Amino acid sequence: REDARKGGLKGLVEAERSAQSWERSDEFEGGLEAWRGHAVEAVLGVTVGAAALRWDELGFKYVQTNGAAKASYEDDRWSEIRFDEEPTITMHVAATALHYGQTCFEGLKAFATTDGGVKLFRPDANADRMRRSAERLMMPTLPEELFVDACKIATKNNVEFVPPHGTGGALYLRPLLLGTSPRIGVAPSSEAAFLVIATPVGDYYKGAFKPVTAKVVDNYDRAAPRGLGSVKTAANYAADMLPSLTNKKLGFDISLYLDPKENKYIEEFGTSNFAMIKGDTFITPKSNSILASITNDSVQKIAPSLGLKVERRPIHIDELDEADEVAAIGTAVVLTPVTKLMYKDRIIQIGDKPEQPGPIFSEIYCRMRAIQTGDLADEHCWMADVCE
């Protein structure tokens, strides 16, 4: 533990070598696995999962934690990041975030890893996507370093809420950028508030890695052809609420949108990207009105290692009949199999066993989760240690 204190989690390898000789001794009760569980405590003084919540009952809902990382943009510069225990914010009543929709956000996760650490999954990619969103909405942009540091600060100050390794959960981070200048006329804000909240989560859809059902939305559009579909802004999710809640009342778990121009090409699910397996090919839509999913991008990089070809192209709705497997892909859902879809007045069944996930997406899901938790080598260097 002293080695880890001196060298941070980079010293963990050397510390584990020393700990190997303790494995059969009484000097460190519980052996090496117990040592690993205290690795973050050695650096931060807090044990992962010390909040002792019922990790298997989390679901995907907000749980109050210690606070959020915050920064502000004024006079053409960003302030230093601070950690604030107050779960509310104060904003001018005429702020552009409230009146003109100048708001964008991100979603990423921190995982307790098998080596005793806590790591973020691809925060640099989230930083880049928020930059693109801010530019499209004419908001102050964040340097990547500030974004990633804020995520690490939010995680380290809430480490007792990180679900322990093996529980299947994660600490979900929600970076949020708000235009705060008071404006009555339509004009971009010259000031902004940035915060990163953290909350422990389990599965987005109840039942872990189990198939869900979907209904194709053919009477609403998620986004305009050249609008904000590729931007992670609040308005896109507000547009999905009515169609999705309507479909849930009909018994469908999620909604699938078609392209807004011709209404015949698959776009994405209400809160996640669409992907399907057809033979030996992983196929996902290509469109300017789709949000670029970081999880989907990761899956596309994993797919070739399974012997799959990868295609990003327009997908006609009729191709659903030829799909071997279908999945919703995103940070919140990770990868959720879809085995039954309703389009107009007919049901499309995907695969021979609708009650079971398909074999290829099952393998991709297992590999993705194993990389995130450190049980599989991080060959793409996606994981960022919060203590570095």
Side-chain angles (χ1 to χ4, degrees):
R1 292 183 69 176
E2 186 62 28
D3 290 339
R5 286 193 186 95
K6 290 177 180 177
L9 289 185
K10 284 185 176 179
L12 186 59
V13 174
E14 288 75 13
E16 282 200 3
R17 289 173 182 163
S18 300
Q20 292 282 356
S21 62
W22 297 7
E23 218 170 353
R24 294 184 177 85
S25 75
D26 295 329
E27 287 185 81
F28 192 80
E29 186 178 355
L32 190 56
E33 289 307 310
W35 147 254
R36 284 177 171 149
H38 288 276
V40 170
E41 181 186 10
V43 178
L44 301 179
V46 183
T47 303
V48 171
L53 303 178
R54 295 189 177 186
W55 306 114
D56 59 339
E57 299 178 5
L58 281 176
F60 202 88
K61 59 184 179 182
Y62 180 75
V63 175
Q64 182 64 48
T65 52
N66 294 330
K70 297 180 180 180
S72 58
Y73 185 85
E74 296 176 359
D75 300 323
D76 298 324
R77 58 177 298 191
W78 283 100
S79 70
E80 293 185 357
I81 305 164
R82 67 186 188 284
F83 187 77
D84 188 355
E85 296 179 358
E86 177 57 49
T88 62
I89 58 175
T90 299
M91 187 179 296
H92 196 285
V93 293
T96 60
L98 302 176
H99 294 259
Y100 300 119
Q102 278 201 301
T103 171
C104 57
F105 65 94
E106 279 298 320
L108 66 155
K109 290 177 178 176
F111 296 88
T113 53
T114 188
D115 61 5
V118 175
K119 296 180 181 179
L120 301 170
F121 181 68
R122 300 192 67 180
D124 55 334
N126 289 97
D128 186 56
R129 189 169 66 178
M130 177 165 268
R131 176 192 57 75
R132 297 196 304 271
S133 294
E135 287 176 348
R136 176 63 179 84
L137 298 172
M138 296 195 71
M139 300 176 67
T141 57
L142 288 108
E144 179 182 310
E145 184 178 3
L146 187 150
F147 180 97
V148 174
D149 285 349
C151 290
K152 289 182 177 182
I153 288 171
T155 303
K156 287 189 286 189
N157 282 278
N158 287 295
V159 75
E160 59 264 55
F161 291 97
V162 176
H165 178 265
T167 62
L171 187 70
Y172 180 77
L173 303 179
R174 171 61 61 81
L176 176 64
L177 183 63
L178 302 165
T180 55
S181 296
R183 299 279 192 267
I184 292 300
V186 179
S189 177
S190 60
E191 300 171 326
F194 175 65
L195 56 151
V196 180
I197 64 173
T199 190
V201 298
D203 299 307
Y204 193 87
Y205 300 114
K206 189 175 181 181
F209 189 66
K210 292 183 179 180
V212 297
T213 59
K215 187 176 187 304
V216 177
V217 179
D218 55 7
N219 55 343
Y220 291 97
D221 293 324
R222 175 186 166 270
R226 290 178 289 186
L228 298 177
S230 62
V231 176
K232 199 168 179 66
T233 185
N236 290 337
Y237 295 83
D240 172 59
M241 287 186 182
L242 177 59
S244 284
L245 289 175
T246 300
N247 287 343
K248 285 182 185 296
K249 290 178 180 178
L250 296 174
F252 296 94
D253 300 301
I254 57 178
S255 297
L256 178 62
Y257 288 89
L258 301 178
D259 75 286
K261 187 175 182 179
E262 298 183 71
N263 215 228
K264 63 182 182 182
Y265 294 100
I266 295 171
E267 288 273 279
E268 62 180 326
F269 292 104
T271 58
S272 48
N273 278 188
F274 171 95
M276 72 181 199
I277 302 296
K278 183 178 176 181
D280 63 351
T281 306
F282 172 95
I283 309 171
T284 194
K286 182 178 182 180
S287 168
N288 292 330
S289 54
I290 291 176
L291 180 70
S293 165
I294 293 162
T295 307
N296 192 355
D297 177 72
S298 304
V299 170
Q300 291 174 51
K301 289 178 169 63
I302 291 174
S305 67
L306 296 175
L308 293 170
K309 293 177 284 189
V310 175
E311 293 182 0
R312 286 185 66 246
R313 61 171 175 80
I315 305 173
H316 196 283
I317 184 64
D318 290 344
E319 282 195 65
L320 280 178
D321 292 310
E322 305 169 14
D324 298 313
E325 299 180 39
V326 168
I329 300 178
T331 298
V333 301
V334 186
L335 192 154
T336 299
V338 181
T339 55
K340 185 185 294 184
L341 299 100
M342 183 174 185
Y343 176 51
K344 295 188 182 296
D345 58 353
R346 70 186 185 100
I347 296 292
I348 303 170
Q349 181 175 306
I350 307 298
D352 299 327
K353 299 177 180 179
E355 72 283 354
Q356 296 180 10
I360 295 178
F361 276 136
S362 293
E363 177 63 21
I364 291 174
Y365 173 83
C366 290
R367 290 200 182 196
M368 177 71 75
R369 292 305 304 269
I371 292 170
Q372 292 172 331
T373 58
D375 294 294
L376 192 64
D378 179 20
E379 296 178 356
H380 300 278
C381 300
W382 285 333
M383 307 304 294
D385 200 318
V386 299
C387 289
E388 291 183 352

